[in-house]
Amino acid sequence: SAAMGINRPSLYGTFGDKRELFLKAYERYRAEANVLFGVAFDPSFSLRQTLERLYAIGIDFYTAGENGPRGCLTVMTAGSEAMSDPEIRQIAQNAIIGTDRNLTRRIEKAIADGELPPGSDAVTLGHVASATFHTLAIRARAGVSRAELEKLVKGTVDLICGPKEAKR
């Protein structure tokens, strides 16, 4: 209400109650996040490049904020509210499932393109990639240093893609 220069009753008069305001804000957040993170899925990128770019964007996004690291609205707030609100539970699940699906598809492409060995478990690797993405938000919000977040990313990318070959 302060940012819009209106009082709280006017805010709720415009957007409804707190829950409705949250749902509208969350819808906008997801649309903006899809655009922001979508650039990491450029089809010309290798799997390693995709993951490194995705996680770098995530670290930048999750550690930014006027009052400290913002984390992720899905993981931090929708996840908490999911316990008591079936609609919020469903939208949080949809967001998590969407991340799993996008990463699993990218890993399936990497297997088909020979970046990963045939028979690699795309679903499990997709879940590991997704879980790392979500834990970056939690850890950033908890104040874990950027260096530690980047170390986690490197370990996850090497786990999924194999260690980066040393240059000779």
Side-chain angles (χ1 to χ4, degrees):
S1 53
M4 295 176 68
I6 60 176
N7 61 30
R8 191 172 285 177
S10 296
L11 180 70
Y12 293 140
T14 301
F15 294 102
D17 61 14
K18 284 183 183 181
R19 182 179 178 282
E20 287 303 311
L21 181 58
F22 171 78
L23 290 171
K24 289 173 184 169
Y26 185 77
E27 183 179 329
R28 179 177 173 189
Y29 170 84
R30 290 296 307 158
E32 290 174 357
N34 286 340
V35 171
L36 177 68
F37 292 108
V39 300
F41 290 90
D42 182 317
S44 69
F45 291 167
S46 68
L47 175 60
R48 178 177 293 279
Q49 290 169 322
T50 297
L51 293 173
E52 288 173 344
R53 177 85 174 148
L54 178 71
Y55 294 142
I57 294 167
I59 290 172
D60 287 344
F61 183 76
Y62 298 145
T63 58
E66 290 179 25
N67 301 315
R70 80 176 87 210
C72 172
L73 195 58
T74 299
V75 174
M76 309 309 291
T77 306
S80 294
E81 295 302 313
M83 293 296 296
S84 60
D85 188 309
E87 184 177 3
I88 293 173
R89 180 180 316 118
Q90 189 61 56
I91 62 174
Q93 286 177 1
N94 290 346
I96 292 166
I97 289 166
T99 302
D100 291 348
R101 183 180 55 243
N102 289 336
L103 287 164
T104 297
R105 285 180 182 159
R106 181 58 190 89
I107 290 167
E108 288 169 343
K109 180 183 181 312
I111 295 167
D113 291 349
E115 290 182 76
L116 294 177
S120 295
D121 185 342
V123 172
T124 299
L125 292 174
H127 286 167
V128 168
S130 180
T132 299
F133 187 64
H134 298 306
T135 199
L136 288 174
I138 296 166
R139 291 167 190 259
R141 184 67 181 255
V144 172
S145 73
R146 181 178 202 91
E148 284 298 312
L149 298 175
E150 290 171 349
K151 184 177 177 182
L152 174 63
V153 163
K154 183 189 178 320
T156 301
V157 172
D158 285 349
L159 177 70
I160 293 170
C161 298
K164 203 172 195 177
E165 293 182 28
K167 294 189 179 193
R168 297 177 190 221

